[in-house]
Amino acid sequence: MKNLSSLLLGLTLMGGAAISSGVAHAECEAAYTSDAMLGDIQVMATSLQAKDAATLKSRGEVLQAGLVCLREPMPPALYATVYRMLGVAAFENGDPKLADQWFHTALELDPTHEWDIADVPPGTPLFQAYAAAGRVSTASTPIEGMVLNAPAGSKLLIDGRPLEEAAATPGRFHLIQQVSTSNGAVRASWLVMGNELPAQLLMEQSLSRNEVKEQEEEADNGKRRRKDDEVLAGGYTESEVTSVARERPRAKIPLLAAGGVGLLAAGGIYAASFATEGQFNEATTTEDLLAAQQLTNTLVIASGGALLMGAGVGVWGVVIDDGGTPGLWALPPE
């Protein structure tokens, strides 16, 4: 395998630096350490060159079982090597379908890998099987109606990378890890196929992605508006001042209009009295004089009544408020 020794040395240093204390999973007899994983990979690489199918199979089983017993997360490059060797073990033991699934996952993590001619010569069935897997690229598929529900104090990884949504690439294996955010220890691990994520890490989606995005944008806009508020007298900002609009009673406008009509009518009636007064001054008989006098007095009195009525209705329209009846107070019960 090309530069395998250098890769293993570098990953050993990286893994050793990342080792932290942890508790092995209940289904694991013992924790699977990074040193043990690197040792198994080295044995499988040697067996690949020696075409030792039996050792590839036995060590492949140990390597696969150890994935869910890791105490600490490993770099994605190391997982790519692990998946690639598991694919080799499956292929050499007559299971090309299983090998294809492992190869797909390895290529997803490390699409630029090339075999060393001493490990997998070009043109061999193993070389062709790996190359065929590299020609198929499938996008990550979300789980409809579900979102991630990471346990408190934890983050989720998929093949050593952050898992940020309830989605994974179908048709290939994935290692899901729950990692403590305080000390980096792996609390739980699951080896899944495709996007069949553990149920305990999922919950139903209450809002669509667009609705969540709209809410986030509205919240951001609100923060910007509050930040840009002008400071008013007394230390208040515009957002802290509430404008109170007065609600106009429905009867106010009709009363004001009726009052105005009454005042106009009073003026018109009083103006008519000037004409009858002229008739009074021009009367030549006692009968015409008395008739003009009576009509003039009637018009003057009528104009006064219209004036009082118009003014009263208008004043009522001015003073009426939300309560609808100004000046009236209810006495408390005795």
Side-chain angles (χ1 to χ4, degrees):
M1 187 177 298
K2 186 177 181 180
N3 298 326
L4 179 60
S5 299
S6 299
L7 175 62
L8 291 174
L9 176 60
L11 292 175
T12 301
L13 295 175
M14 295 174 65
I19 292 177
S20 59
S21 60
V23 178
H25 302 294
E27 66 272 18
C28 301
E29 295 181 359
Y32 191 56
T33 65
S34 56
D35 289 340
M37 173 180 283
L38 293 170
D40 288 332
I41 293 175
Q42 182 65 66
V43 171
M44 292 184 72
T46 303
S47 300
L48 177 61
Q49 293 180 351
K51 304 297 185 289
D52 185 353
T55 302
L56 281 172
K57 179 179 180 181
S58 61
R59 285 301 177 108
E61 292 174 351
V62 172
L63 187 60
Q64 179 175 337
L67 282 175
V68 294
C69 297
L70 283 168
R71 290 185 176 183
E72 67 276 356
M74 296 289 104
L78 178 56
Y79 287 122
T81 302
V82 170
Y83 298 153
R84 194 160 46 243
M85 296 308 297
L86 290 176
V88 169
F91 186 87
E92 293 293 338
N93 285 280
D95 195 341
K97 181 179 180 181
L98 179 60
D100 185 70
Q101 292 170 335
W102 285 118
F103 286 155
H104 273 302
T105 312
L107 285 163
E108 183 177 336
L109 296 175
D110 183 11
T112 63
H113 170 76
E114 295 182 4
W115 292 107
D116 188 282
I117 192 172
D119 298 324
V120 182
T124 61
L126 177 58
F127 186 94
Q128 293 175 348
Y130 185 79
R135 290 193 293 268
V136 178
S137 177
T138 306
S140 178
T141 301
I143 303 175
E144 186 176 355
M146 305 298 287
V147 295
L148 288 178
N149 182 29
S154 300
K155 63 180 180 180
L156 300 177
L157 300 180
I158 177 170
D159 304 319
R161 303 165 296 172
L163 180 61
E164 298 176 344
E165 62 176 336
T169 310
R172 59 195 69 178
F173 293 103
H174 297 289
L175 178 64
I176 309 299
Q177 293 172 310
Q178 176 192 340
V179 181
S180 170
T181 55
S182 61
N183 60 12
V186 175
R187 294 180 174 176
S189 299
W190 300 266
L191 188 62
V192 302
M193 170 57 72
N195 64 351
E196 298 177 3
L197 302 181
Q200 57 267 48
L201 302 181
L202 302 172
M203 65 179 179
E204 292 185 2
Q205 185 178 26
S206 57
L207 296 176
S208 67
R209 290 188 178 90
N210 289 336
E211 290 172 331
V212 172
K213 184 177 180 181
E214 290 175 0
Q215 287 189 354
E216 291 175 348
E217 290 177 351
E218 290 177 0
D220 291 341
N221 292 336
K223 290 178 181 178
R224 284 194 291 269
R225 285 194 297 268
R226 288 193 295 271
K227 182 178 180 181
D228 297 337
D229 276 348
E230 180 182 355
V231 178
L232 307 177
Y236 296 99
T237 62
E238 289 181 338
S239 63
E240 296 172 325
V241 177
T242 303
S243 299
V244 180
R246 180 173 176 266
E247 184 177 353
R248 190 188 301 274
R250 287 179 292 180
K252 190 175 188 69
I253 298 300
L255 288 174
L256 291 174
V261 171
L263 294 177
L264 291 175
I269 295 172
Y270 188 77
S273 69
F274 287 103
T276 59
E277 183 181 6
Q279 295 175 3
F280 175 84
N281 294 328
E282 295 173 359
T284 57
T285 64
T286 301
E287 182 179 354
D288 293 337
L289 182 67
L290 293 175
Q293 180 187 29
Q294 183 178 4
L295 181 57
T296 300
N297 291 339
T298 301
L299 290 174
V300 171
I301 294 173
S303 68
L307 177 64
L308 291 175
M309 183 182 68
V313 173
V315 170
W316 185 272
V318 171
V319 301
I320 192 172
D321 207 342
D322 297 345
T325 308
L328 298 181
W329 298 84
L331 295 176
E334 296 181 357

